[in-house]
Amino acid sequence: MLPSSGTPAATPSSVPLPTPEVSLNQNNGHTASDKAGESIVFKQGAQKENPLPISDSAGFAPTLHTAPSLQVRSATGPNAATAINTEPQMIAEGVFIGEGRAKSGEKVFLRMERITETNKPAWEKYCKSTCELTLESRSALTYAMRHTKKIVGTDGEVRFINDNYEELVDRLGFSKEEFDAFVNLCGKNRFFWARENKVKIQSIHATFAGAVHLSLNTQTECYVVYASKTANFQIPCGSELLASSKPLTFKEYIDLYSDLLICVGADRRHDDSIHSKGMFRNPHSTIAKTHTGLSMVVRGFTGAVAQKFLPGVQTLWCKPLSSMQYMISSSLQPEDYQISGYSHEEALSAADESLRDGAVFEMPLNSIKISALDRLYRNHDST
């Protein structure tokens, strides 16, 4: 049996607490794209008193801090030669699109869509499925990582093994060959149990914390902002998928959602501001280590849309995790944002201390100028 210990973050009513049982025989045919299922074939070859991350969660590998300044992102990567169009467009009432580039170089497609009674169930399904897969020690993913071992042969060849296939097959849904490829992928990208990898494995639970706090409120002007691999991706909303109470296996999850890389909520409860909350990466892209450095791209796109289409909005509020504070501080000018009760230096010192101790916590409230986020989005590398 998988372990059942672990204390989940408080769960809002919009996303029911996941149950430990996981099984579903086949996907229902409603995939993110025609090729989404192919990605399952893994090729071989803030205060310390409040340490629980409860809002922003995009993973928290330590980030070297540079002096606060407007950074231009690198364009080295698979799609570096593909230009992007950073001009936000409104394609329907409450739906906005744009393009961006990950820090690792890949082109991504951005979308900001208002939560309605029509799309809310689909986003709830995504959040709930993500929670079921990432709930700390009860999660199949964390359990698989903790039991993956590094083996060095007499010839010096490094490989990774996991003897828990029979125990995990129902939850992950992999064939034995796919499971072995997944284990090697985890090992290659340091998602296996070793003291120096502790933070990387914990980042899967941070995904849970973000997913459980994504606001999906139809009573206010509430949006989901996300980056995807494909231009036409929309959250799967097939009736069979939404009607099923059986949790998805990881293989089915990848088949449906592998194109969706990162998302965050943007709730406009006041005329002059947006509250950004519940950022998390798709755990598949986290483990595969693709499309890295998207946190500030989706934040910047939120600002660009607000600047152009939401008159009166001047400020974005957020409570970032300590690692995310580094990203905000190194991407913006000091005059672009304020941190409640902290100077910039004090906030970075607190973030650095938490990362050294391995305990990532929520930072104080940041208020960021919409104009600064718009500038960041329009100036991130487009070549």
Side-chain angles (χ1 to χ4, degrees), residues 58 62 83 98 133 141 144 155 187 191 224 234 250 270 279 286 329 334 354 371 377:
L133 288 165
L141 293 182
D155 57 356
F191 285 93
V224 173
Q234 294 184 50
F250 192 40
H270 304 283
M279 178 180 286
T286 298
S329 298
S354 81
S371 58
Y377 171 67

Side-chain angles (χ1 to χ4, degrees), residues 182-193:
F182 172 69
V183 167
N184 275 287
L185 179 69
C186 289
K188 182 185 72 171
N189 291 334
R190 294 178 52 205
F191 285 93
F192 68 95
W193 187 248

Side-chain angles (χ1 to χ4, degrees), residues 7 72 78 154 184 217 219 227 233 251 279 327 336 349 371:
T7 303
V72 176
T154 55
N184 275 287
N217 190 350
Q219 304 306 309
F233 176 84
K251 182 172 181 175
M279 178 180 286
M327 300 177 199
D336 290 335
S349 177
S371 58

